[in-house]
Amino acid sequence: MYICWRNKYYLNIFNMKKILLVAVILTITMTAIAQQKVYFTREITPESLVKIYKALGVEATGRVAVKISTGEGGNNHYLRPTLIRNLVEEVNGTVVECGTAYGGSRQDPAKHWQTIHEHGFDSIFAVDLMDEFGDIRIPMQDKRHLKYDIVGEHLANYDFMINLAHFKGHAMGGFGGVLKNASIGVASTAGKAYIHTAGKTDDPSKAWTKEFLAAGDKQDLFLESMAAAAQAVHNYFGGQIIYINVMNNMSVDCDCDGDPEKPELKDMGIMASLDPVAVDQACLDKVFNHKGKPGDNNQPLINRINRQHGTYIIEYAEKIGLGTKTYELIDLDI
């Protein structure tokens, strides 16, 4: 009886070990699946942009839109044409933009074209103001606030998008990265008003009034709307889209500001991924975990992000299935 009991005892121990081993393997496998690769280089050069694009392993084919911000008149923090030139030429891309919704130098198409010219883009690239002649509505997966996403009508002319964002602060969103570039950036003037009011109006003349604007205690509604609009663009391209954040000239203010604050944080590098949530999260981690010092101070940018509850867009984007905050950082400089 003792021998029989002992054998059963050891058999149970053996089975438990097998179950634990299987559980560990499944956990590791699921974690690996859940993680998205984010590529990183400290070099911010035309060559490194091409290098990080190629590291993603996805070739931009067909008619390629390179979505950037051409910068507000008076702003000098936008991604320079000379920096992005090699990448745009590598993919035979067209630089695409849409009008703003707040006046300034980029709401009126004629003024926008003048700003594009002053910033040197149209002398190097083909440039397309996608909403110059109208807009279209594309489907939403998350319809909590927006029934559809209103984007420049020329979006339909492209097969592939490189979302090439300048990572920096933002007066309303807290920060701007690829999620903002896909949502507010691809939205037409009417679409921007629609997102900023969390679906209340697409009339830019009403969007900035207290009655309509989603800000203050309604700030999270704006962030949720941005995440949902970014998802709409992501889904529209059906996987034919990649995401790149350039972490230079990181002012607390956006490229849409004609008089931005001087950056206090030194340039950090370039991040890229197939997952917009992962790459924005990686950039946030880089900023928040940085050990600041005089002349290289991350605190102003952190304060701006926190003031606007900026990180919430990441949380909501993950919640609606746009991507994951869990990532594996691959250093291309090692």
Side-chain angles (χ1 to χ4, degrees):
M1 292 294 294
Y2 173 74
I3 294 175
C4 181
W5 176 86
R6 185 177 64 180
N7 288 342
K8 287 182 178 180
Y9 173 77
Y10 284 123
L11 182 61
N12 286 336
I13 291 293
F14 178 71
N15 287 336
M16 286 177 65
K17 285 182 177 180
K18 282 174 60 178
I19 292 169
L20 286 172
L21 180 61
V22 170
V24 169
I25 292 171
L26 284 173
T27 300
I28 293 171
T29 302
M30 290 177 69
T31 300
I33 292 172
Q35 283 187 337
Q36 288 290 336
K37 292 180 179 179
V38 175
Y39 296 88
F40 171 65
T41 177
R42 294 163 190 81
E43 295 182 15
I44 304 177
T45 64
E47 294 76 19
S48 63
L49 262 178
V50 174
K51 179 181 178 181
I52 205 166
Y53 154 68
K54 290 184 174 180
L56 291 171
V58 175
E59 183 181 2
T61 57
R63 296 164 296 180
V64 180
V66 182
K67 174 62 188 78
I68 65 165
S69 169
T70 52
E72 187 69 17
N75 187 294
N76 59 1
H77 296 154
Y78 57 89
L79 300 180
R80 294 293 196 272
T82 50
L83 174 63
I84 70 172
R85 181 173 188 166
N86 288 12
L87 176 59
V88 177
E89 291 180 348
E90 174 75 22
V91 300
N92 192 28
T94 299
V95 168
V96 301
E97 261 273 55
C98 282
T100 63
Y102 54 77
S105 70
R106 294 185 300 148
Q107 182 167 334
D108 174 74
K111 292 181 180 179
H112 198 161
W113 277 116
Q114 180 61 31
T115 303
I116 288 169
H117 180 71
E118 290 172 355
H119 290 177
F121 288 95
D122 61 345
S123 62
I124 300 178
F125 313 116
V127 180
D128 183 4
L129 288 183
M130 294 193 293
D131 66 336
E132 183 175 9
F133 302 108
D135 47 35
I136 58 175
R137 298 176 177 182
I138 63 174
M140 303 288 296
Q141 181 174 325
D142 176 66
K143 297 182 179 180
R144 183 174 183 182
H145 305 298
L146 311 180
K147 296 177 182 178
Y148 38 75
D149 190 21
I150 310 173
V151 301
E153 67 175 357
H154 289 178
L155 189 70
N157 296 339
Y158 299 99
D159 307 304
F160 195 103
M161 176 172 280
I162 297 179
N163 182 328
L164 181 55
H166 175 208
F167 188 89
K168 69 288 176 192
H170 191 273
M172 301 192 73
F175 77 95
V178 296
L179 289 173
K180 176 185 174 293
N181 198 35
S183 55
I184 293 293
V186 175
S188 66
T189 294
K192 288 176 172 62
Y194 195 52
I195 294 169
H196 272 287
T197 62
K200 285 187 176 181
T201 183
D202 59 9
D203 184 346
S205 69
K206 297 178 180 179
W208 309 107
T209 64
K210 187 176 181 181
E211 178 184 359
F212 289 97
L213 185 63
D217 60 350
K218 300 176 183 177
Q219 170 70 1
D220 283 358
L221 308 187
F222 164 55
L223 298 173
E224 289 171 359
S225 298
M226 275 210 295
Q231 184 180 50
V233 172
H234 182 87
N235 292 348
Y236 181 82
F237 279 98
Q240 296 297 98
I241 185 169
I242 62 174
Y243 299 93
I244 303 173
N245 272 329
V246 180
M247 303 180 74
N248 70 343
N249 295 319
M250 289 181 285
S251 168
V252 298
D253 294 317
C254 184
D255 296 344
C256 57
D257 191 321
D259 186 24
E261 290 290 329
K262 182 180 178 181
E264 297 187 46
L265 180 61
K266 287 186 177 180
D267 298 349
M268 289 185 165
I270 305 173
M271 300 267 196
S273 181
L274 303 181
D275 185 322
V277 179
V279 72
D280 269 2
Q281 181 65 58
C283 290
L284 287 172
D285 289 343
K286 196 78 173 171
V287 170
F288 275 78
N289 295 330
H290 181 69
K291 294 182 180 179
K293 58 185 177 182
D296 187 20
N297 187 5
N298 58 337
Q299 200 57 51
L301 182 53
I302 290 173
N303 292 345
R304 173 59 58 88
I305 294 168
N306 288 339
R307 188 192 78 181
Q308 299 303 116
H309 196 203
T311 57
Y312 178 62
I313 190 174
I314 299 283
E315 298 171 22
Y316 192 76
E318 183 180 55
K319 179 180 177 181
I320 62 176
L322 177 52
T324 176
K325 296 189 296 182
T326 306
Y327 61 90
E328 175 191 0
L329 190 64
I330 300 173
D331 192 333
L332 297 180
D333 300 334
I334 297 177

